[in-house]
Amino acid sequence: RAKQTGSSSYLYYSREMNLRSLERLKLEGSLRHALDRGEFRLHYQPQVDLASGRITGAEALLRWEMPGHGMVPPAQFIPVAEETGLIVPIGEWVVDAACRQLRAWLDAGQAPVKIAVNLSPRQFSQNLPRTVLGILRAHDIPAELLEVEITESMLMHNADSVVAMMQEFAAAGVSMSLDDFGTGYSSLSYLKRFPINTLKIDQSFVRGIPRDANDSAIATAIIGMAKALNLKVIAEGVETAEQQDFLKSAGCDEMQGYRFSKPLPADPFAALLCASNG
Ligand code: C2E
Ligand code: MG
Ligand code: MG
């Protein structure tokens, strides 16, 4: 009996696997054409100063409308883009699209706002700063309006050349934030070694605030460490008034999350910016 169950669950498992690899192949095939076919969009999620309530900037988040499938979440297609190397042209598109949008806002007379873009470790190369700075120049965007978000895994990758790359960004005036902070394996000494401006507390720690004592203690510790190292600190995934109040009293600088707004298409984001910052 046990043997039967074992083999039937094995069959079930392998059929699941085939379905999944078929899905994955379809996804990969569509992803290869998504850039040419103009299927990507950026949404913008406000980052809000906890003391003043003003919007200080936005994180640009990639959205893909796969024909016949609807919206595919980044958690599904970014890993595929990374494995296939497609993240390099897609990542360049993201920086270009964010700068083009910034240019349109500036031309329309809107107050300048800083935009953060996510960079994948796979995009890292000696040429990355030159590519990004070239895009800024092409759209005539001051480097101070761009922030790049990197993850701890990028820092562990190839430390010396990553330091050189980050120094190029810093010298040009592009700021850098460390995304999903606390979830990776980087040592705290990295914080001294790399020219980071901002720590983003990962939403997995924010979720349990204020009821979970461990999450609350971890968030408080990250905020304290950021202050001591003169870094700005922003909490991700803030959903409730309780989380906002806790983080504000703990000295966190900014928040980002559904509590204030979901990621929005460009026009609604601009309208929200006008309404909030006056
Ligand atoms: P991330 O950079 O940490 O972005 C924050 C994610 O949290 C976004 O998910 C955002 O929609 C979500 N989020 C924001 N506020 C809340 C909240 O209050 N509650 C909850 N539950 N979630 C919230 P999204 O847009 O699905 O993106 C997921 C991840 O995909 C990003 O995490 C980032 O790692 C990656 N990603 C997105 N766009 C890009 C891109 O242009 N390039 C690269 N390389 N990665 C990207
Ligand atoms: Mg991010
Ligand atoms: Mg994050």
Side-chain angles (χ1 to χ4, degrees), residues 45 59 62-63 74 94 118 179-180 203 236-237 239 257-258 263:
Q45 187 174 38
E59 176 175 7
L62 191 55
R63 296 291 178 260
V94 168
N118 291 282
D179 206 355
D180 307 336
Q203 55 188 65
E236 296 191 82
E239 294 185 350
Y258 299 166

